Amino acid sequence: MPRTTGVRPTEGAPPPPAAAGRGRRRLGLAHHRGLSLLPVLLVLGVTGFVVSPAFLTADNMVNVAQSSTELGLLVLAEAIVLIAGRMDLSLESTVGVAPVVAMWLVLPSAEGRFDTVGLLPGAFSVPVCLLAGALIGGLNAFLILVLRLNGFIVTLGGLTMWRGLQIAVSEGQSVVGLPGSFTYLGRADWLGVPAAIWVTGLLFAAGGCALAWLRHGRALYTIGGNPEAARTAGIRVDRVLCVVLVLAGVLAAFAGVLYAGHYGSVSAGQGSGWIFQVFAAAVIGGVSLDGGRGTLFGALTGVLTLQLVVNIMTLAGVPPLWNQFLDGAIIVAALVVSRFASGERQE
């Protein structure tokens, strides 16, 4: 009687129908998580109108969008870092220290102003600010990817270190008398809409297209999901991560440009406490803290959700003293939503 031998599946063979179905369901869930806040935004819109008829006016909507731009750029930066499987806490401090360093280099020394060097003309203020952000991101990349230090600890230390540098250089003062080139984007209107809204929208669109269609953009999901598999597939993981960290620093510095231009000064505490809102917006927008999942559209809806909640509370007359409690509650709610949406434990 001939022996019956087990046949091993051929490597690369298609998965069984049940496994393929589960994979498609997971992919569908991941895709739709980026849209999960659209019903929430609709509910917030109705709630805001009930709270105050002024909520749906054009002026208020533009104000909400304008106030979302600076935070939105930080969320954009953090989202691409999270998708790549990393985390950058120092972005909060980059928002403040990069503009201060730029002003230290371009503003002439004057009475009543902190001690500047004035080495460069004011026209160079924005490029210098962005360069400062790139250098901070590059230092993070060197410490994390070359020296193999813990990324969370490195960027946590950076958050404290760069905040301290901002306070030391500015002598704890708000910086005023900014060059016109530095404040232009924060104050200008294009076609009746603040330029900052146009710029932020274009950056989100460009980032979303890059993640969806460009090879290196799609590689971020592979790196965030399984870096060893990415290396096996020929992806230069460290090089891609270095670009991501530098780009995140540049975006954070640019957020500082928009914020300073909007308010006409670089405040002494610019960016302080923003990182909590950044993570809340990213997570409730469907970006996974474990890497490899999320969309920039979802992250943008997370930003708008947070800003609409704050706007509704303001119109309802809720004291600003409750804002910190609200930020913490939203973070906890975001983690709960992420836990049940992904079906995975969070260690």
Side-chain angles (χ1 to χ4, degrees), residues 55-324:
F55 174 78
L56 292 180
T57 61
D59 287 343
N60 187 60
M61 290 293 98
V62 169
N63 178 59
V64 170
Q66 170 91 31
S67 62
S68 300
T69 55
E70 303 95 6
L71 179 64
L73 287 182
L74 267 193
V75 173
L76 171 60
E78 193 67 64
I80 61 176
V81 174
L82 288 174
I83 289 172
R86 299 288 177 166
M87 187 177 294
D88 190 347
L89 303 177
S90 66
L91 296 176
E92 173 186 302
S93 297
T94 306
V95 173
V97 71
V100 164
V101 169
M103 294 304 102
W104 178 67
L105 290 173
V106 305
L107 289 180
S109 181
E111 185 177 354
R113 181 181 290 164
F114 72 99
D115 190 17
T116 60
V117 296
L119 293 177
L120 300 171
F124 287 88
S125 57
V126 173
V128 169
C129 181
L130 299 184
L131 177 60
L135 291 175
I136 292 173
L139 178 61
N140 287 339
F142 175 77
L143 295 174
I144 296 170
L145 303 175
V146 177
L147 299 187
R148 300 297 175 183
L149 302 182
N150 182 279
F152 179 86
I153 302 301
V154 165
T155 58
L156 178 62
L159 184 153
T160 305
M161 180 172 63
W162 301 127
R163 178 68 65 202
L165 180 62
Q166 174 188 351
I167 294 173
V169 171
S170 67
E171 300 175 3
Q173 306 175 45
S174 293
V175 183
V176 297
L178 308 182
S181 60
F182 201 80
T183 60
Y184 172 74
L185 287 176
R187 293 183 172 180
D189 284 352
W190 295 346
L191 302 177
V193 177
I197 297 176
W198 288 107
V199 172
T200 303
L202 288 173
L203 288 174
F204 265 95
C209 291
L211 291 181
W213 294 311
L214 295 185
R215 180 168 59 91
H216 288 91
R218 296 194 303 271
L220 294 188
Y221 290 97
T222 306
I223 293 171
N226 191 332
E228 293 307 318
R231 288 189 176 91
T232 302
I235 298 174
R236 298 181 176 181
V237 173
D238 287 354
R239 179 177 295 183
V240 173
L241 289 176
C242 179
V243 172
V244 166
L245 291 171
V246 171
L247 179 59
V250 172
L251 288 171
F254 191 46
V257 173
L258 295 186
Y259 187 88
H262 186 192
Y263 294 100
S265 66
V266 182
S267 65
Q270 183 164 303
S272 180
W274 285 19
I275 198 65
F276 303 110
Q277 295 177 321
V278 167
F279 277 102
V283 173
I284 64 176
V287 179
S288 173
L289 294 175
D290 297 323
R293 291 191 300 276
T295 65
L296 296 187
F297 179 79
L300 180 59
T301 60
V303 175
L304 294 176
T305 298
L306 293 185
Q307 294 303 115
L308 285 176
V309 169
V310 172
N311 184 251
I312 292 171
M313 290 180 62
T314 301
L315 292 175
V318 178
L321 296 174
W322 285 92
N323 286 350
Q324 187 173 358

Side-chain angles (χ1 to χ4, degrees), residues 6-19:
V7 180
R8 298 182 63 184
T10 304
E11 185 176 356

Side-chain angles (χ1 to χ4, degrees), residues 25-26 28-34 36 283-288 293 333-346:
R25 285 195 295 271
R26 284 196 296 268
L29 176 61
H31 175 73
H32 291 296
R33 282 182 67 192
S36 61
V283 173
I284 64 176
V287 179
S288 173
R293 291 191 300 276
L335 291 174
V336 173
V337 170
S338 175
R339 165 68 178 87
F340 288 100
S342 65
E344 299 174 354
R345 295 175 60 186
Q346 295 174 352

